Amino acid sequence: MLKLAGKEDKKLKTTVFQDETRIFNPPKELVEKSIVMQWMKKKGFKTEKEMRAWCSSDEHYLEFWDEMAKTYVDWHKTYTKVMDDSEMPYFHWFTGGEINITYNAVDRHAKGAKKDKVAYIWIPEPTDQPVQKITYGDLYKEVNKFANGLKSLGLKKGDRVSIYMPMIPQLPIAMLACAKLGVIHSVVFSGFSSKGLMDRAADCGSRAIITVDGFYRRGKPVPLKPNADEAAGGAPSVEKIIVYKRAGVDVSMKEGRDVWWHDLVKGQSEECEPVWVDPEHRLYILYTSGTTGKPKGIEHATGGNAVGPAQTLHWVFDLKDDDVWWCTADIGWVTGHSYIVYAPLILGMTSLMYEGAADYPDFGRWWKNIQDHKVTVLYTAPTAVRMFMKQGAEWPDKYDLSSLRLLGSVGEPINPEAWMWYREHIGRGELQIMDTWWQTETGTFLNSPLPITPLKPGSCTFPLPGYDISILDEEGNEVPLGSGGNIVALKPYPSMLRAFWGDKERFMKEYWQFYWDVPGRRGVYLAGDKAQRDKDGYFFIQGRIDDVLSVAGHRIANAEVESALVAHPKIAEAAVVGKPDEVKGESIVAFVILRVGNEPSPELAKDAIAFVRKTLGPVAAPTEVHFVNDLPKTRSGKIMRRVVKARALGNPVGDISTLMNPEAVDGIPKIV
Ligand code: PRX
């Protein structure tokens, strides 16, 4: 049986999943009424397999994308070429076209039949504050007023703006306002520290930060503006800080730099002409973790992100006009960008958006949200499912979840036990689970079931139509069914990343170099995950190839945490490893060498944890810090994390004879 995601799983070469014989067929009614089945009938496809293969084939994939681009998007000027690969690996899509994504997400609905349809049902965390229903008409006005406000500050097409906000409606409003003007937004998760914000804002040269005074967490207001102040101090490009008053906490406003949101929109027109942009114009930059400590700024293009996410959301989650969609992610991650903001709005759907914690005031909050607002499709992460599983079924059992008709999962491999629990207790033992595999870099799901797909627990099933996903060995050969290797995209697709902000070399190295010189494999995208296919062709993702931790579905580079630790005045060196955690997937464990003259103590361990929390934010804080005298290193001085981890987890350490200091291994304590 497939185990939880963890680096150790990658060493399980084959057959770990082959005993997964359970198949869950979709109910007939779901299949017959599904959007994808309607399309298949129109096109004359007999089977799902035939349809998926046709759409992703060399002969037809551009034809497929051309049809989808015209189905989901209104182009201000129609493109003349679907895809241009003359500058590989810089692929260009929808060449010659002109588009505005906010026009597609908001304006066309607000000016049409959906004017009074609710776009967002927003639930504040404090239970005594009213739920807000924001229609497409409301959204249109708010976005335009704020866009005009941004314009009045001199912000214009191509400028970058960092958005550092909690889950309140002003976050999508800010993003949509930027996009309306062609301003490139870079959302930074509000759980990141001031340093996290500063590094990102400085890297992309943000001219402004949009933030809040504070936000609510488990009923208490928490200030956020001071983090933006600190960040601006170290990011010289930041000229303005725009502050939305959310929690009523006291903040200091710097004369000439800081401006209140409500002052900025005061007197602004409710109309704002969209700035039409080239489809390749960057919509956003979103930072994610790579193998080194420095986060990479993933550049996403406008055209591709108007088409890809909307199409996949429509087909995979089968959203119809009366559905109520709830994606529980934070908008600070790609899942929220694509599936809370752009895709559901482009489709003109109603989404639920919840401000706060899953356990506030108790573990029934999510289930109450679903009951109260008759959510029909729920999309969440395995780490949340496991947390609820641990709390027990009595929480969801207290609520009426009968409105649900489809479930989804994202972020990490979902272990079959959690999958079964999710189906059993949230899905009444009958709902299908769409396990969507994708990444910050891809903008949309690449592998996923459709409502017509027979499911296997723990499998993201097959490549979606239009996506040519495969598994290759190190030499670039496709691996046979029943084995594993590197999961790759053989062809480009509209919403793929376009570049790294300011780092061409690393972009090439991380994704394209690996198969570049293999005949016939130039332009193959290396996703960075290991995967296997069973004898029926079902894909099972096994986790990352590189040194990246997966903590509660968040990607955190080991090197990032290590560099934060060694910045502590008493720490000389650090190795960080992931320890399997039944709820979070992995928890962060650090082994540190102290600087001379310092003594290990429980207080110092606590202080080191607090230090990382302050530097990188709570998501990246280790749960354990162990003091060691030495760490195993290669002869070139690189700390061997793999060896540290194996020893700490009580696994075989392999051949360590070539290490500079093999004796250091004995000093690593066991952590399990
Ligand atoms: O390892 C894969 C895992 O999450 C990584 C991407 O993380 P991030 O860019 O933060 O985006 C997360 C949300 C899309 C992938 O390389 N991953 C994501 N979804 C799945 C998954 N692993 C297994 N199954 C999934 N459904």
Side-chain angles (χ1 to χ4, degrees):
M1 184 164 290
L2 193 76
K3 292 202 305 171
L4 274 184
K7 296 297 166 306
E8 69 281 9
D9 288 342
K10 286 181 217 143
K11 281 185 244 113
L12 305 173
K13 273 292 177 227
T14 51
T15 68
V16 282
F17 54 80
Q18 309 266 3
D19 57 350
E20 185 51 81
T21 52
R22 290 169 292 189
I23 294 256
F24 295 86
N25 285 305
K28 251 210 175 81
E29 205 195 329
L30 177 69
V31 173
E32 282 311 310
K33 289 190 176 160
S34 68
I35 287 157
V36 60
M37 186 51 89
Q38 306 307 319
W39 189 81
M40 279 172 64
K41 281 190 179 151
K42 195 172 87 188
K43 296 275 168 179
F45 290 112
K46 296 271 173 310
T47 65
E48 177 183 357
K49 197 171 170 185
E50 181 200 358
M51 183 276 293
R52 289 202 193 228
W54 187 93
C55 298
S56 307
S57 66
D58 293 355
E59 302 77 29
H60 301 292
Y61 85 107
L62 293 177
E63 178 185 336
F64 171 78
W65 281 120
D66 188 25
E67 179 180 336
M68 294 303 128
K70 287 176 177 144
T71 304
Y72 291 99
V73 169
D74 286 335
W75 299 88
H76 184 62
K77 188 169 147 208
T78 314
Y79 50 86
T80 49
K81 192 167 187 182
V82 179
M83 193 271 295
D84 171 6
D85 60 3
S86 60
E87 289 183 83
M88 208 157 66
Y90 300 95
F91 296 93
H92 309 292
W93 284 82
F94 312 121
T95 311
E98 276 181 8
I99 185 176
N100 185 283
I101 199 167
T102 303
Y103 172 84
N104 278 277
V106 183
D107 302 20
R108 61 174 176 168
H109 305 310
K111 289 183 172 164
K114 290 188 174 168
K115 178 170 176 279
D116 296 321
K117 181 170 176 175
V118 173
Y120 289 117
I121 303 170
W122 179 66
I123 307 177
E125 192 196 67
T127 48
D128 56 352
Q129 294 183 5
V131 169
Q132 284 178 24
K133 293 196 172 168
I134 301 158
T135 65
Y136 279 91
D138 299 334
L139 203 52
Y140 178 76
K141 290 183 203 160
E142 295 307 316
V143 168
N144 286 346
K145 283 195 290 185
F146 191 63
N148 287 327
L150 293 177
K151 233 196 282 185
S152 74
L153 297 177
L155 290 159
K156 56 180 192 316
K157 182 179 158 193
D159 287 343
R160 278 82 56 206
V161 163
S162 298
I163 305 179
Y164 184 59
M165 296 178 102
M167 286 289 285
I168 58 175
Q170 286 68 30
L171 171 49
I173 288 170
M175 293 162 75
L176 292 159
C178 286
K180 188 131 200 192
L181 303 177
V183 169
I184 304 167
H185 59 69
S186 180
V187 179
V188 177
F189 174 52
S190 60
F192 279 138
S193 64
S194 55
K195 182 166 184 309
L197 173 62
M198 180 179 81
D199 290 347
R200 288 160 176 80
D203 185 71
C204 69
S206 279
R207 290 190 62 194
I209 295 174
I210 307 172
T211 189
V212 291
D213 57 343
F215 63 98
Y216 291 93
R217 195 41 31 131
R218 295 204 173 74
K220 289 199 189 70
V222 182
L224 198 64
K225 166 77 167 35
N227 285 7
D229 292 334
E230 275 183 50
S237 58
V238 175
E239 300 158 34
K240 291 279 170 199
I241 300 183
I242 303 161
V243 190
Y244 181 80
K245 193 177 265 184
R246 166 63 189 124
V249 297
D250 273 345
V251 294
S252 67
M253 298 289 278
K254 187 170 162 185
E255 187 76 40
R257 183 193 68 181
D258 300 351
V259 43
W260 287 106
W261 177 299
H262 53 259
D263 288 333
L264 189 64
V265 298
K266 207 179 285 164
Q268 295 291 355
S269 161
E270 290 175 354
E271 297 296 326
C272 174
E273 269 305 298
V275 172
W276 305 107
V277 299
D278 185 284
E280 284 301 308
H281 179 70
R282 303 304 187 240
L283 172 63
Y284 66 84
I285 300 168
L286 187 57
Y287 285 83
T288 188
S289 297
T291 41
T292 73
K294 191 173 180 286
K296 3 178 227 200
I298 306 287
E299 291 181 28
H300 273 287
T302 308
N305 277 283
V307 177
Q311 189 269 338
T312 50
L313 181 62
H314 205 212
W315 285 34
V316 171
F317 287 104
D318 199 37
L319 293 187
K320 314 270 172 44
D321 210 33
D322 55 354
D323 272 308
V324 178
W325 161 249
W326 187 17
C327 164
T328 67
D330 191 287
I331 293 176
W333 310 111
V334 73
T335 311
H337 278 59
S338 291
Y339 296 103
I340 299 177
V341 185
Y342 293 111
L345 296 178
I346 286 172
L347 296 177
M349 292 296 154
T350 298
S351 294
L352 190 139
M353 188 175 158
Y354 170 53
E355 181 182 32
D359 59 351
Y360 184 82
D362 58 41
F363 283 98
R365 188 66 191 269
W366 277 23
W367 318 121
K368 184 173 183 316
N369 288 348
I370 291 174
Q371 170 184 279
D372 289 354
H373 300 285
K374 303 214 168 8
V375 170
T376 57
V377 187
L378 174 69
Y379 184 40
T380 192
T383 182
V385 174
R386 289 191 299 262
M387 178 191 75
F388 286 117
M389 196 169 135
K390 202 168 159 192
Q391 296 305 321
E394 55 273 26
W395 287 108
D397 285 354
K398 281 189 206 164
Y399 297 89
D400 176 8
L401 306 182
S402 62
S403 56
L404 287 173
R405 63 179 199 88
L406 212 49
L407 303 174
S409 174
V410 59
E412 57 185 306
I414 180 161
N415 45 314
E417 298 87 301
W419 196 98
M420 292 303 294
W421 188 91
Y422 192 21
R423 179 173 164 102
E424 205 48 44
H425 296 285
I426 310 303
R428 308 183 292 279
E430 58 191 35
L431 297 188
Q432 295 294 90
I433 300 169
M434 304 293 110
D435 180 356
T436 61
W437 172 75
W438 59 298
Q439 310 176 298
T440 305
E441 291 87 341
T442 70
T444 58
F445 318 147
L446 300 188
N447 268 37
S448 171
L450 289 160
I452 57 176
T453 312
L455 306 177
K456 291 192 185 187
S459 171
C460 57
T461 70
F462 310 110
L464 281 169
Y467 299 88
D468 193 1
I469 308 304
S470 184
I471 303 177
L472 304 183
D473 65 17
E474 309 280 299
E475 281 75 47
N477 307 302
E478 199 149 296
V479 303
L481 293 186
S483 57
N486 295 325
I487 188 163
V488 297
L490 297 177
K491 295 192 184 82
Y493 47 89
S495 67
M496 65 192 293
L497 82 167
R498 293 303 197 267
F500 280 178
W501 187 263
D503 201 340
K504 278 197 158 180
E505 202 178 310
R506 200 167 158 209
F507 175 70
M508 187 67 199
K509 206 165 134 201
E510 293 230 2
Y511 304 109
W512 311 99
Q513 196 70 64
F514 200 81
Y515 293 115
W516 195 256
D517 294 323
V518 178
R521 295 285 185 222
R522 186 154 289 190
V524 165
Y525 169 83
L526 181 75
D529 283 335
K530 287 271 179 221
Q532 301 183 329
R533 246 177 321 190
D534 72 4
K535 62 182 186 334
D536 302 321
Y538 279 74
F539 282 69
F540 290 80
I541 307 293
Q542 295 172 286
R544 307 281 310 166
I545 306 171
D546 48 24
D547 280 336
V548 178
L549 300 155
S550 169
V551 182
H554 299 150
R555 254 163 88 175
I556 297 156
N558 302 53
E560 220 170 330
V561 183
E562 287 161 1
S563 69
L565 280 164
V566 297
H568 187 285
K570 295 188 176 165
I571 295 175
E573 286 186 273
V576 159
V577 302
K579 170 176 164 180
D581 179 286
E582 59 164 355
V583 173
K584 293 191 286 184
E586 284 184 300
S587 63
I588 302 175
V589 178
F591 298 88
V592 302
I593 302 175
L594 290 176
R595 293 191 191 189
V596 182
N598 295 291
E599 287 302 317
S601 70
E603 291 71 40
L604 186 48
K606 268 195 215 144
D607 189 56
I609 293 171
F611 188 79
V612 179
R613 178 182 292 269
K614 173 100 177 66
T615 317
L616 297 175
V619 273
T623 43
E624 297 171 34
V625 171
H626 299 275
F627 300 100
V628 292
N629 293 323
D630 201 1
L631 286 163
K633 288 183 185 143
T634 61
R635 280 173 208 253
S636 62
K638 186 169 151 39
I639 296 173
M640 291 294 286
R641 276 189 209 113
R642 181 185 60 75
V643 173
V644 175
K645 179 169 181 177
R647 166 77 187 182
L649 297 180
N651 296 328
V653 293
D655 181 10
I656 52 169
S657 59
T658 59
L659 292 186
M660 182 168 72
N661 54 349
E663 66 289 349
V665 176
D666 296 335
I668 307 290
K670 286 217 170 60
I671 57 172
V672 284

